[in-house]
Amino acid sequence: MVYGAYGLVEVLGDINSVVVVDQMLKTAEVNFETVDTKCGGHVLIFVSGEVSAVTAAVERVTNNPPCKIFNSAVVSNPSEEMINIVEMFKARRAKK
């Protein structure tokens, strides 16, 4: 599968992650990929799509945050290793 970009946003708590994903999906034509829970209740959200759409979605929640955003990034033209990492997170989440 080919991805134009991944958008990553880190928030605290599952409820905040749902709100952020909702706003990102409403902002641009992006696809929700998965979330990964980190220690301390931090949730890392992954979306994918065209670079411009992913950038718009990430900027929407970072410029007008519905909650505290700890980190965010847009990874354009992700490497095969990056794609494998996201797919690993998705597979791990599917087992839960």
Side-chain angles (χ1 to χ4, degrees), residues 9-76:
V9 178
E10 180 184 0
V11 299
L12 183 61
D14 290 332
I15 291 176
N16 286 334
S17 71
V18 170
V19 172
V20 168
V21 168
D22 180 61
Q23 288 189 1
M24 293 174 81
L25 294 173
K26 289 176 180 174
T27 298
E29 190 67 33
V30 295
N31 300 306
F32 171 71
E33 290 294 330
T34 192
V35 296
D36 188 57
T37 304
K38 298 168 47 178
C39 61
H42 287 246
V43 180
L44 184 57
I45 301 161
F46 293 85
V47 297
S48 66
E50 296 296 321
V51 175
S52 59
V54 170
T55 300
V58 170
E59 285 179 353
R60 163 62 177 90
V61 296
T62 55
N63 292 338
N64 189 14
C67 61
K68 181 169 174 54
I69 305 292
F70 289 89
N71 291 295
S72 67
V74 173
V75 179
S76 61

